[in-house]
Amino acid sequence: MKTLAEASGVVARPPAEVFERLWQKLRSGYQMKMEVDRERGFVAVQGGWWYRGEYRVTADPAGARVEHRVVNAASRARWGVPLANRFFIGFRGAVAAGFAGLLDELGTPE
């Protein structure tokens, strides 16, 4: 699987709480295949023909470090993914902006 974009940041909350909030948010979104490993603080969502978003939540001195990675998980016609996505022009910036918003949400008291 080829990494297309990565982002990370810290949320000033306990890792277990951040992981739970992230998992709840991801499972209430689009209908996608989901892989969850609470012990490792890992959750992945996969949908469509190529998209896989992976998240990892780990302890950090300031709270919880959240890492996000978007990968091309296509098992066929992998070469067509960049074409179908206009060669990902602006994609990394959009991922970074969306991830920053997600971090804000995860850090906001309920």
Side-chain angles (χ1 to χ4, degrees):
M1 290 188 275
K2 181 179 179 182
T3 299
L4 302 173
E6 294 179 286
S8 67
V10 176
V11 176
R13 293 188 125 18
E17 179 184 327
V18 171
F19 182 84
E20 185 63 28
R21 290 178 83 176
L22 173 65
W23 179 71
Q24 290 292 336
K25 180 165 182 51
L26 293 173
R27 67 178 245 186
S28 66
Y30 301 105
Q31 295 299 321
M32 292 192 195
K33 185 171 138 186
M34 186 174 261
E35 176 184 336
V36 179
D37 183 338
R38 289 186 189 290
E39 277 186 32
R40 291 183 13 218
F42 177 82
V43 61
V45 291
Q46 190 164 332
W49 135 68
W50 69 270
Y51 177 84
R52 180 175 170 93
E54 299 178 339
Y55 299 83
R56 185 171 312 280
V57 179
T58 56
D60 185 273
R65 172 163 292 282
V66 183
E67 299 170 348
H68 174 51
R69 186 170 85 125
V70 177
V71 297
N72 175 356
S75 59
R76 59 181 166 28
R78 180 179 291 269
W79 57 269
V81 173
L83 292 172
N85 290 281
R86 297 186 183 123
F87 296 99
F88 294 102
I89 295 170
F91 184 73
R92 285 188 176 104
V95 168
F99 184 73
L102 174 63
L103 290 180
D104 286 344
E105 281 184 54
L106 295 174
T108 302
E110 290 185 44

